Amino acid sequence: MKPKILLLHVPHRTRKIYLHDYYTSYSSKAYYYWSPADLILISGLVRDFEVKVIDAIAERLSFAECEARILSFSPDVIIFTTGTATWDNDLLFLQRIKAKLNCLLLGSSAIFIFEPVYFLENFPFLDGLILDITSPEIIDFITGSRDDNRAIAFRRQDGSLRLPRREEKEKVFTLPVPLHDLFPYHLNRSPLARRKPFALVVTSVGCPYSCRFCVVGSLKYRYRPVENIIEELQYLQKLGVKEIMFNDPTFTASRKRIIALCQAMKAKGLNFTWVANAHVATLNEKMLKYMKASGGHTLMIGVESANQTILDRYAKGISVEKTKQVFRLCQKYGFRTLAYFIIGLPGETRETILETIRLSLELDCDFASFAIATPDIGSAMREEAIKQGLLSPETRIFDSTAFPVFAGGNLSKEEIWRLRQQAIRKFYLRPSYIFKRLTRMRSWQELKVHLEQAQAMFFP
Ligand code: SF4
């Protein structure tokens, strides 16, 4: 008999909405939600087994409700996702499940790549940690081929740990089409989505850039061939999905590849609208034209800071001037833009943060995200902060939308938090901004999502 596999997004004891995208996790402050990217990718790999998905966050299940569903399915294997915002909650729940169910428990998260020993030694009910979410060796592990497995760190029967070496992997990888129909994609919500339902598609992992505050740059950039992505998009079109969120950390990393993908989408008659993450250094007129013609309408772009010294210190690889040009170019081609900013990087002052707030207004972007700087496990910034005594190596729980866990320079955590709240108010409560948003609504559905978002942001 085929093993029964459960892909689990663990409930939170507070029933708050948390997002997990494998690299990071954070609470949703603006009522947005989408299923975890790593579980979607893994669903394709395990598609030949009997697979069930429980997304307890999307369905707002309590611990007890989720437990009842798990016990009723009685899986042989549970694959769960977690991250720095929730792993304490998630492991508490899973320990309880493991005490009631004899199953193989496998975790997926970038934190496991960098701290496998900590998690395997301190949480003996974990059977394995997935270190490569694109690897078919996950299946080998489930079916019993373990000793030379390169995708999973685990505890051997004698108690010793088997930690695969981080090897060079092929730059191009293909994936079986993920089992999107098992995920509650009709519950996905985003103010950026133009149409519903929308689904997540991941076309690459890692990132070719090496920003020092970010864990993704520590992982090799690898991507799927265009034909492999088209196969997944064709299946999503058949399911009735209207909108795609390309959830790659840096979707636009290769112009050639993205232009080829846009051309193939047009040629195959794929009529999606879509949103993606983009890097300032990669965007040019030619690529924007192709992206627009294939349904692209919104780009999420990492700006991070308005201060060039801060950008250079963290190896962002962009200039403030270039950022301004690129935002103008996106607007010229009719793209809406979301600018990501980070507030409270070590070395920041009150003045650099105020500069960043001013830039957020000057860019005339449609959305802005002001994340609190977090010491992501695996990032160069974390190592520096630990060396400088700004952070304890034991600090493993944090959330970029919550109160800071560390501060550097001459700012306190309280000041960083106050400035972040000020940034949100300054950006979103401008009458001119509210007017612009209202006049650009295309449907009642879009208006409803925006009102829900505003309510969640300002009256949680
Ligand atoms: S470009 Fe984005 S994803 Fe890549 S390392 Fe920098 S912040 Fe991370």
Side-chain angles (χ1 to χ4, degrees):
M1 221 167 57
K2 287 180 180 174
K4 290 200 276 184
I5 299 188
L6 174 66
L7 301 176
L8 177 66
H9 198 190
V10 178
H12 199 269
R13 59 185 177 274
T14 61
R15 294 219 202 178
K16 278 203 317 203
I17 301 176
Y18 279 89
L19 286 115
H20 293 88
D21 71 0
Y22 181 65
Y23 310 102
T24 56
S25 60
Y26 48 95
S27 54
S28 167
K29 291 283 188 288
Y31 204 54
Y32 43 77
Y33 180 77
W34 44 86
S35 301
D38 49 350
L39 294 186
I40 293 175
L41 286 187
I42 292 169
S43 73
L45 292 169
V46 298
R47 60 179 303 128
D48 291 335
F49 298 96
E50 182 181 345
V51 184
K52 185 178 176 69
V53 172
I54 298 180
D55 189 335
I57 296 282
E59 294 192 57
R60 303 278 194 115
L61 300 181
S62 66
F63 270 22
E65 287 163 339
C66 186
E67 181 180 315
R69 287 221 206 155
I70 294 172
L71 296 180
S72 131
F73 179 55
S74 190
D76 301 296
V77 183
I78 297 178
I79 300 178
F80 68 95
T81 187
T82 188
T84 51
T86 61
W87 66 259
D88 54 342
N89 167 88
D90 301 345
L91 296 185
L92 188 73
F93 176 77
L94 291 161
Q95 184 172 23
R96 183 167 135 171
I97 296 296
K98 199 66 199 286
K100 296 184 179 175
L101 194 68
N102 180 21
C103 67
L104 193 69
L105 187 57
L106 301 178
S108 164
S109 170
I111 58 175
F112 296 144
I113 296 179
F114 299 99
E115 299 236 17
V117 175
Y118 172 79
F119 285 99
L120 286 172
E121 282 185 347
N122 289 286
F123 303 95
F125 54 91
L126 290 173
D127 295 305
L129 306 175
I130 298 174
L131 307 187
D132 180 359
I133 51 172
T134 67
S135 172
E137 291 188 36
I138 295 172
I139 304 165
D140 299 339
F141 187 85
I142 291 169
T143 53
S145 164
R146 304 212 168 148
D147 276 346
D148 54 356
N149 196 292
R150 290 168 302 174
I152 295 191
F154 65 99
R155 196 177 307 93
R156 296 190 185 92
Q157 286 202 328
D158 65 4
S160 64
L161 301 185
R162 150 94 184 146
L163 305 171
R165 275 187 299 137
R166 286 181 63 193
E167 299 173 345
E168 271 301 290
K169 299 182 187 111
E170 291 297 317
K171 201 162 182 187
V172 182
F173 66 96
T174 57
L175 276 181
V177 174
L179 300 169
H180 285 281
D181 55 320
L182 299 185
F183 288 83
Y185 57 85
H186 53 283
L187 296 177
N188 288 348
R189 285 186 306 269
S190 165
L192 305 186
R194 283 273 194 215
R195 297 191 294 168
K196 280 188 94 172
F198 82 85
L200 239 70
V201 171
V202 177
T203 81
S204 65
V205 295
C207 179
Y209 296 92
S210 304
C211 309
R212 299 180 70 75
F213 50 77
C214 176
V215 55
V216 190
S218 311
L219 301 170
K220 184 177 173 179
Y221 173 64
R222 299 166 61 229
Y223 55 84
R224 296 167 62 191
V226 168
E227 320 78 70
N228 187 234
I229 305 161
I230 292 292
E231 205 187 336
E232 181 175 352
L233 292 175
Q234 286 173 322
Y235 159 68
L236 284 167
Q237 184 147 290
K238 279 194 202 127
L239 282 183
V241 168
K242 300 268 190 304
E243 169 111 1
I244 302 296
M245 178 184 274
F246 287 112
N247 201 240
D248 307 27
T250 312
F251 180 69
T252 57
S254 158
R255 284 186 196 138
K256 202 170 143 202
R257 191 176 82 96
I258 294 310
I259 290 174
L261 175 62
C262 294
Q263 287 173 323
M265 285 171 76
K266 284 284 282 178
K268 300 282 180 190
L270 294 167
N271 297 315
F272 294 109
T273 43
W274 59 263
V275 182
N277 288 309
H279 191 284
V280 163
T282 59
L283 289 170
N284 66 6
E285 301 220 19
K286 184 176 175 190
M287 183 158 66
L288 285 168
K289 275 186 207 162
Y290 278 103
M291 294 200 297
K292 189 73 186 166
S294 66
H297 59 76
T298 304
L299 294 173
M300 303 175 282
I301 304 172
V303 177
E304 326 303 1
S305 171
N307 184 278
Q308 196 61 50
T309 309
I310 293 287
L311 290 173
D312 295 343
R313 172 170 171 175
Y314 289 98
K316 182 65 196 175
I318 57 175
S319 72
V320 179
E321 271 322 300
K322 174 77 178 164
T323 298
K324 290 179 187 173
Q325 279 170 21
V326 162
F327 273 75
R328 284 196 293 271
L329 204 57
C330 291
Q331 282 143 10
K332 176 177 162 190
Y333 283 94
F335 278 91
R336 296 186 307 177
T337 48
L338 178 148
Y340 292 116
F341 298 98
I342 304 179
I343 304 291
L345 288 164
E348 287 224 80
T349 62
R350 181 180 161 77
E351 188 42 47
T352 64
I353 296 177
L354 292 177
E355 252 182 86
T356 297
I357 298 174
R358 285 195 292 275
L359 179 65
S360 74
L361 308 182
E362 187 188 334
L363 289 177
D364 196 24
C365 46
D366 298 272
F367 307 89
S369 156
F370 298 95
I372 290 288
T374 50
D376 289 358
I377 295 171
S379 69
M381 180 175 81
R382 178 184 176 86
E383 296 311 311
E384 279 164 20
I386 291 171
K387 272 194 205 127
Q388 290 165 7
L390 300 176
L391 182 77
S392 155
E394 297 307 314
T395 306
R396 294 187 178 89
I397 299 273
F398 40 82
D399 176 346
S400 60
T401 63
F403 193 76
V405 291
F406 78 143
N410 61 3
L411 286 171
S412 67
K413 291 189 243 180
E414 287 73 16
E415 281 169 305
I416 292 171
W417 182 246
R418 264 199 304 277
L419 285 163
R420 189 251 182 182
Q421 300 304 88
Q422 181 181 329
I424 293 174
R425 283 194 306 274
K426 280 232 172 213
F427 185 86
Y428 282 102
L429 295 182
R430 286 170 291 158
S432 59
Y433 175 77
I434 295 169
F435 180 74
K436 181 171 105 175
R437 283 280 286 271
L438 287 172
T439 53
R440 289 190 183 175
M441 301 285 162
R442 290 200 180 162
S443 63
W444 286 109
Q445 182 186 305
E446 217 176 311
L447 177 64
K448 184 169 169 270
V449 171
H450 281 73
L451 290 175
E452 285 168 349
Q453 184 206 10
Q455 186 188 14
M457 206 187 283
F458 297 108
F459 310 103

